[in-house]
Structures are given as structure tokens and as C-alpha cells.
Amino acid sequence: MLLPNILLTGQLYDGYDEEYDCPILDEDRVVDELENQMSEGGVIVDYHGCDFFPERWFHIVFVLRADNSVLYKRLETRGYNEKKLKDNIQCEIFQVLYEEALASYKEEIVHQLPSNKPEDLEDNINQILKWIEQWIKDHSS
């Protein structure tokens, strides 16, 4: 599930951030909205942060990482303003999202995956699928 889609279609935002040119997420409403789906299991959440999601929701967390030069070009192509671009690069340099994931979940479930080139996408999908297959084997009765 892509959280930005739920955010916009479910109107789960609390205003607009002019400086970053994006909606402001209402984290409590998002958690309330997703609670039933997440309790059923088998859900993948795609979002750029994690510290507000309950730990009980996840068996594994993947943090995609990109080299700064690759990330800069990627964000520039998306038309990010200078401040948003600079802040995103700094977050990557200082591993902000990885550190947030480590602080929010057990260290053994947090994994970093490279996201620099198209081949990384396929490799990451294969690695995640292997993890899912192993998890199903380990948890089948």
C-alpha cells in the first residue's frame, strides 16, 4: 500500500507545508485508518518515515539508500525546490531514516537496501520475496 495515495485520497492530512510544497500528514488519523488492514497482516507499507507506526505492525523494515549524487539528480528531476532538495540530501548523508527505523523497531528487523540503479530494484524485489517466502515457511503450522 502506498501511503501517499491513502493520504491524499483519504484526506488524511492536516494542512499544507508551503516551504516543502507538500501536504502535512495527520499521523494519528493515518494509524487509525490503517489499523484494521494492518491487523489482518500481509500488508506492505511504502513511506519515507516510520517513527509513528506501531511496532506490532511490522515483521521487517527495509530502508532504501541512495548515493547522494544519484539522489540529488533524482530529486532535481522531480522538481524539488532547493530547500527540500538540500534537506533530503542531508537526511541521506546523516542516515536519518535508517536511524529512525533502528530507534523505532528491533534492530534485527531493520535492513538497508541500495537504490541507485535500475538493477537494484530487481535485486531488492528478489531479496524481499525471499524474505517473504522464508517468513511464510517459518510461520506455517
Side-chain angles (χ1 to χ4, degrees), residues 64-124:
L64 299 178
R65 302 295 311 274
D67 292 334
N68 294 328
S69 59
V70 172
L71 183 59
Y72 187 92
K73 289 175 189 168
R74 198 176 282 167
L75 300 179
E76 188 177 46
T77 301
R78 292 181 190 168
Y80 280 29
N81 66 44
E82 193 61 35
K83 176 163 181 46
K84 189 172 181 177
L85 197 144
K86 180 182 172 186
D87 288 353
N88 273 270
I89 295 297
Q90 285 182 346
C91 281
E92 186 64 20
I93 290 169
F94 294 111
Q95 303 184 70
V96 171
L97 295 178
Y98 179 63
E99 294 295 329
E100 178 183 297
L102 290 173
S104 300
Y105 306 101
K106 294 176 186 166
E107 186 175 344
E108 61 267 16
I109 74 163
V110 178
H111 304 275
Q112 297 182 77
L113 298 174
S115 181
N116 294 306
K117 53 190 186 287
E119 301 82 46
D120 290 339
L121 176 62
E122 186 173 341
D123 292 343
N124 291 342

Side-chain angles (χ1 to χ4, degrees), residues 59-60 108-109 111 129-141:
H59 296 281
I60 196 160
E108 61 267 16
I109 74 163
H111 304 275
L129 288 173
K130 285 179 188 175
W131 181 87
I132 291 170
E133 289 169 3
Q134 187 62 50
W135 189 90
I136 290 170
K137 284 180 187 175
D138 293 346
H139 292 85
S140 295
S141 335

